[in-house]
Amino acid sequence: MRLIGFPILVFIVLLISSSCKPAGPPTDLTKESIIPKPVSVAKTGSSFELDDDTQIYVAHDSLYFLGQYLSDRFKSATGFSVPVKIGSEAPGAGTIFLTTKPDQNLDTEGYALIITEDYIKLSAPELHGIFNGIQTIRQLLPAIIESVAVQKGPWLISSGVIRDYPAYHWRGSMLDVARHFFSVEDVKRYIDLISYYKMNVLHLHLSDDQGWRIEIKSWPNLTNYGGKTEVGGGEGGFYTQEQYADIVAYAKDRFVTIVPEIDLPGHINAALASYGELNGGTVISQEGKSSEKQSQDIGKEPQRPKLYTGIEVGFSTLRIDNPSTFKFVEDVIREICAITPGPYFHIGGDEAHVTPKQDYIAFINQFKKIVRKNGKKMIGWEEIAQANIDDEDVVQHWKSIQYAKTAAAKLGRIIMSPSTVAYLDMSYDSATKFNGKKIGTHWAAYIEVDSAYRWKISTAAPGIYKDYLLGLEAPLWSETISTMDELEFLAFPRLPGYAEIGWSPEDNREWSEYRVRLGKHGAKMKAMGIDFYRSPNVEWVE
Ligand code: TNX
């Protein structure tokens, strides 16, 4: 029986074969999906091919490690061992040339990328810009360049010119390693992932009621006892000072500044549980309620509260009238500052609900002196705006914009982490689950990928002088997550949007355009093995 006429059959075969034909080489640089969106992109209509003859040339020794970093990014997926050579001549055919040169319009983190059929030239005023330009090159290659196994090419990049630099210098994320501990390897992977999107700050929340996560040599019980559990009663963990230094060095090579936080004077139960002398004679009636009743007899009968594994906040505090308190604070800040090359120390300062207000203010003023004495600038959560803030201090907004305004009126600098749009621990919606387990919380809001993207730093901080706004941080609190996969599921795909909010010109961003670009990053995130949330608001290309 003849079901389809011959001409129709030919037509269908032609149709199928034409739709299966591999796409031609990419030639339109303006159509590529780069996140964060670059400041300017111009196309020239051809493409460069990375192949087994490609060589990387760097203009001088100090660029060598970046050339090697780029070569390493190519290795697994292409199977090519792209050699890195030092040579100051102009780029020859088949080369990727990295060079630094002054360019007043590019800023300290900016870069210029010229891609021709014959070569790629990446130049920047500083090494940080070269690193950022390398991330752009990675994103311009086919998504499978991020695969760990060898893939089939060709490895083509559209030609043209990109000039790019950030709107804000503080583009970061905070990771809470206190509520649940995350290993050195996990933290390094997170550094790799955030820096792929040109973020440059990782704030580590290193202590809280549930655990103390960084070795303090003069107070060893903090980790030997106070680091041994976490939310839900798991085994916890901590970083030795050497491991912390290893994280810091890894971050430095990726132009990420580590900001260590020790949360004071509240969120301190793990320390009180480790050293009764810090708790003074406080009467403890039940787990997690160490400050329910404060005895007047400090030091009389040091009682340690139990380690805490729940998720309440605001119940613990240091005591300002306790002689041990500042010995402890001085030692902790001194030891951590000594192994932190970055310019900041974060003293926490949030939710000190059981610290009397005058004591709280006195505490912050004193912490600031100690931080300065150790050569760092103080950062604190927004409540520190109540203390003596000046233009060297940084205040991190999370809930009440009034505190940020108060801080700015005192000349303080502001990091924006508005919990209703920028908290990575908020669920996407009421059904958010990973592998059948509900994760995330929603005390501030449900944050779908579009609402995470649709805000601006400057309008979220009305009335604050723009020069005082350092940028943004997306905090990832870990009460509900304990594995790297769960971490990734909450961070992605919102984190690339935060990276773009901090980097790209504010008036040149549109959700309707961004969602298409983000959809194309599905394939890249998949190739990187990221367990990301497939938001129904995005058409994923994988
Ligand atoms: C509030 S935000 C906190 C944290 C919690 C978080 C949970 C802030 C400065 N403090 O202690 O982990 O909410 O979303």
Side-chain angles (χ1 to χ4, degrees), residues 206 214-217 239-249 258 260 332-342 376:
L206 291 166
I214 174 108
E215 175 192 23
I216 303 296
K217 293 191 193 279
Y239 311 121
T240 63
Q241 293 201 357
E242 290 68 29
Q243 287 173 321
Y244 173 81
D246 180 34
I247 291 173
V248 167
I258 297 291
V332 167
I333 294 180
R334 186 190 65 253
E335 286 198 29
I336 297 177
C337 285
I339 51 173
T340 302
K376 306 292 180 196

Side-chain angles (χ1 to χ4, degrees), residues 179 208 267 313 350-351 381 398 423 425-426 441 443 477 479:
R179 268 53 174 273
D208 213 302
H267 288 271
V313 295
D350 59 319
E351 299 174 318
W381 296 104
W398 63 281
Y423 264 33
D425 63 317
M426 295 299 123
T441 171
W443 67 261
W477 302 99
E479 286 94 335

